Amino acid sequence: MSTKKIWNPPPDLTVSEWSDRYRVLSAESSSEAGQWRTDRAPYQKEIMDAANDHRINTIVFMKSAQVGATEILNNIVGYFIDQDPSPTLVLQPTLAMAQAWSKDRLANMIRDSERLRTKVKDPKSRDSGNTVLSKKFPGGNINIVGSNSPAGLASRPIRILLCDEVDRYETSAGAEGDPINLAIKRTTTFWNRKVFITSTPTIKGLSRIEVAFEESDKRYYHVPCPECNESQVLKWKNVVWDEDAPETASYACEHCGSVIDESKKQWMLKHGEWIASAPKSDTAGFHISELYSVWSTWADMAKSFLEGKKNPEML
């Protein structure tokens, strides 16, 4: 190997570019195991790449199920391990969920993605210095804690903070106060810190993720109609189906009224764009619903909706 090649700096990649090049999805945790492809769900690209924008310190992602939020978080973790090693904290709702994410998601991602496998030693090796909740790699480390763990939130400074499913967090970490605020305080010594907050919203008015999104630049994913090409945000009220036949569900364009078949969804996503409705905020906020999911159909959602109507709590 030439000296020139040895001293070449690593490629200047964004999170999405790194994921497309190096991330491998594990069979145990993905229905589509194998090489990651951002173009499978194009709305994910800007969310991930916000982590590379030096103007942005905080990223908020308010979302539904089935939109790939966990894999977005995983990709950000993988990117910083490989490309920009830093002290990192992943905050989960409980200690049990922290352990489960580490064992089922992080460990599998490291095992199946060669770039990570060479950086993070197997915890079974004698000198690895790695446990389920704490892992070291050249230039950085990652700790995984539960929101109810004041000790885990009060130790050394961190540059990268990733908060998952924040609407399920404890109100207070012991007697120490709000767990997100405690964790954010640990990032203040880093001018280039990144805070990623994501969750499915729960109760309106009490939702942590809703409050965080309202303080952001509030980006919505606008997609064009295949018939009139007018842009719109997908809304549940525009999903239509024949009476007593949810399997016929389609989407009615709010501009021209054309009924759009599920088969056109991928085209719409490919040509969509995030548009901020409050651009003066320096927090990047993203909101997306299951209507955009490539892993759930409008027919599936219509069936779930009709089932939910039988049970007010479910609905």
Side-chain angles (χ1 to χ4, degrees):
M1 182 182 293
S2 70
T3 304
K4 182 179 179 182
K5 189 167 184 180
I6 291 173
W7 292 105
N8 273 347
D12 187 15
L13 303 173
T14 64
V15 174
S16 66
E17 289 168 344
W18 179 88
S19 304
D20 285 333
R21 188 176 297 191
Y22 298 122
R23 174 74 201 282
V24 176
L25 294 166
S26 307
E28 298 96 327
S29 54
S30 175
S31 60
E32 299 178 355
Q35 185 61 46
W36 170 272
R37 288 174 44 221
T38 301
D39 63 3
R40 180 76 173 95
Y43 55 79
Q44 296 178 332
K45 177 178 170 58
E46 188 168 326
I47 303 170
M48 290 189 285
D49 291 349
N52 302 106
D53 190 334
H54 68 276
R55 299 166 300 177
I56 295 170
N57 290 129
T58 304
I59 305 158
V60 176
F61 185 26
M62 184 163 72
K63 48 80 182 183
S64 71
Q66 301 297 321
V67 294
T70 298
E71 297 303 349
I72 289 173
L73 184 148
N74 293 345
N75 287 345
I76 294 172
V77 168
Y79 171 87
F80 280 103
I81 290 175
D82 183 40
Q83 296 285 300
D84 192 6
S86 308
T88 301
L89 179 70
V90 175
L91 185 57
Q92 294 285 348
T94 65
L95 177 60
M97 293 178 73
Q99 293 171 328
W101 178 80
S102 179
K103 293 176 182 177
D104 301 337
R105 300 288 189 151
L106 180 60
N108 291 343
M109 178 173 70
I110 292 169
R111 180 199 67 200
D112 294 334
S113 302
E114 184 180 359
R115 294 284 296 200
L116 303 180
R117 193 167 62 245
T118 60
K119 302 280 176 74
V120 184
K121 290 185 178 180
D122 188 324
K124 294 177 183 177
S125 66
R126 184 175 298 177
D127 63 342
S128 74
N130 291 338
T131 65
V132 170
L133 297 178
S134 179
K135 299 185 185 299
K136 297 178 182 178
F137 44 87
N141 60 77
I142 182 168
N143 290 292
I144 308 110
V145 302
S147 69
N148 54 352
S149 172
L153 295 171
S155 52
R156 54 186 176 272
I158 54 170
R159 179 185 162 217
I160 310 301
L161 171 62
L162 302 117
C163 304
D164 196 16
E165 289 300 340
V166 298
D167 273 19
R168 299 172 69 180
Y169 284 10
E170 296 289 340
T171 304
S172 178
E176 302 295 322
D178 181 75
I180 299 178
N181 289 337
L182 288 174
I184 288 175
K185 284 180 182 177
R186 291 177 55 186
T187 70
T188 54
T189 56
F190 290 92
W191 65 270
N192 57 347
R193 66 188 178 276
K194 293 293 178 184
V195 178
F196 180 75
I197 302 171
T198 184
S199 188
T200 302
T202 50
I203 301 171
K204 189 169 181 63
L206 299 175
S207 168
R208 277 190 172 97
I209 196 68
E210 180 187 42
V211 170
F213 180 75
E214 288 299 322
E215 294 174 350
S216 74
D217 62 9
K218 297 198 282 190
R219 305 182 194 189
Y220 296 89
Y221 201 65
H222 293 242
V223 294
C225 168
E227 298 300 325
C228 70
N229 210 41
E230 289 291 330
S231 184
Q232 60 204 287
V233 175
L234 298 184
K235 299 169 185 171
W236 176 246
K237 67 180 182 179
N238 294 327
V239 177
V240 296
W241 60 87
D242 297 340
E243 187 174 358
D244 299 325
E247 67 276 6
T248 64
S250 300
Y251 193 87
C253 173
E254 66 181 41
H255 298 289
C256 70
S258 296
V259 177
I260 305 166
D261 186 74
E262 179 80 32
S263 62
K264 302 292 180 66
K265 185 195 286 186
Q266 190 68 40
W267 180 90
M268 296 166 74
L269 296 178
K270 181 180 177 181
H271 294 89
E273 63 176 334
W274 287 101
I275 298 177
S277 57
K280 291 184 179 179
S281 174
D282 57 3
T283 294
F286 301 88
H287 179 291
I288 205 162
S289 75
E290 192 175 350
L291 293 171
Y292 294 85
S293 175
V294 297
W295 299 282
S296 182
T297 67
W298 296 326
D300 292 336
M301 292 170 233
K303 291 172 188 174
S304 296
F305 174 75
L306 293 178
E307 284 297 315
K309 286 182 73 173
K310 300 174 185 177
N311 183 333
E313 285 190 15
M314 239 178 109
L315 186 60

